[in-house]
Amino acid sequence: MSTVYDVPAEVLINHIADEFKNNNDKIQSPEWSCLVKTGVHKERKPVNVDWWYVRCAAILRKVYITGPVGVRSLRRSFGGKKDRGVRPEKFRLSGGSIVRVALHQLEAAGYVEKIEGGRVVTPQGQSFLDKTSAELIKDIPELEKY
């Protein structure tokens, strides 16, 4: 049985984002998502119209791999370097509201649950990710040996 570790991250995240966009009624893009930047370190809002679903899929994968995980560590994962002109670049965290709302939606969908140490993937979320990765590994000829 293949797991999330066997499939390239970009392929898995894009496929899960399509699933969220087309089939899941619990994960919806908030009305403010077309207006916000993803962090202080960004100059513009995201170019991808469906960036919310991609971020939710990336958060779900990150919780699966590193869990239990909190909002602060997820903000650190999605943060980046801020351009400060002639001064040296400095690392900044990503937006906290984006991470919190995405985690709340994933909890409502039943993929993530909150425990004392942070958030972890539920058995339903783990089976969803493993089934998705098993489907994807069949489509990638380089990964047939797995």
Side-chain angles (χ1 to χ4, degrees):
M1 182 79 187
S2 61
T3 62
V4 171
Y5 301 104
D6 302 330
V7 181
E10 183 179 355
V11 174
L12 180 66
I13 289 171
N14 288 333
H15 190 270
I16 292 172
D18 289 339
E19 287 282 325
F20 286 164
K21 182 180 176 187
N22 298 330
N23 299 333
N24 200 329
D25 58 343
K26 299 271 185 181
I27 297 179
Q28 296 294 324
S29 179
E31 58 188 40
W32 47 261
S33 67
C34 61
L35 305 172
V36 298
K37 301 189 307 180
T38 57
V40 182
H41 61 285
K42 296 290 186 178
E43 291 185 9
R44 297 187 199 110
K45 64 182 184 172
V47 177
N48 186 359
V49 178
D50 300 325
W51 72 270
W52 181 260
Y53 303 105
V54 175
R55 180 61 58 98
C56 287
I59 287 174
L60 181 60
R61 181 183 173 275
K62 184 71 75 172
V63 171
Y64 179 94
I65 291 174
T66 61
V69 65
V71 173
R72 178 79 176 195
S73 61
L74 288 172
R75 288 182 67 193
R76 193 176 313 115
S77 297
F78 293 105
K81 291 186 177 182
K82 179 171 175 58
D83 183 15
R84 304 188 315 156
V86 296
R87 295 175 294 176
E89 294 178 337
K90 195 169 185 181
F91 184 82
R92 295 292 182 197
L93 300 174
S94 72
S97 179
I98 295 169
V99 173
R100 277 191 300 278
V101 172
L103 283 171
H104 289 306
Q105 288 185 1
L106 289 170
E107 285 176 9
Y111 296 133
V112 175
E113 68 181 350
K114 190 173 185 179
I115 61 170
E116 188 173 326
R119 288 183 170 87
V120 294
V121 175
T122 62
Q124 177 188 357
Q126 184 174 359
S127 67
F128 170 70
L129 287 170
D130 289 340
K131 286 178 186 175
T132 304
S133 60
E135 291 172 9
L136 290 174
I137 209 160
K138 294 176 186 174
D139 297 336
I140 303 171
E142 297 87 27
L143 299 176
E144 285 180 355
K145 59 185 175 186
Y146 297 108

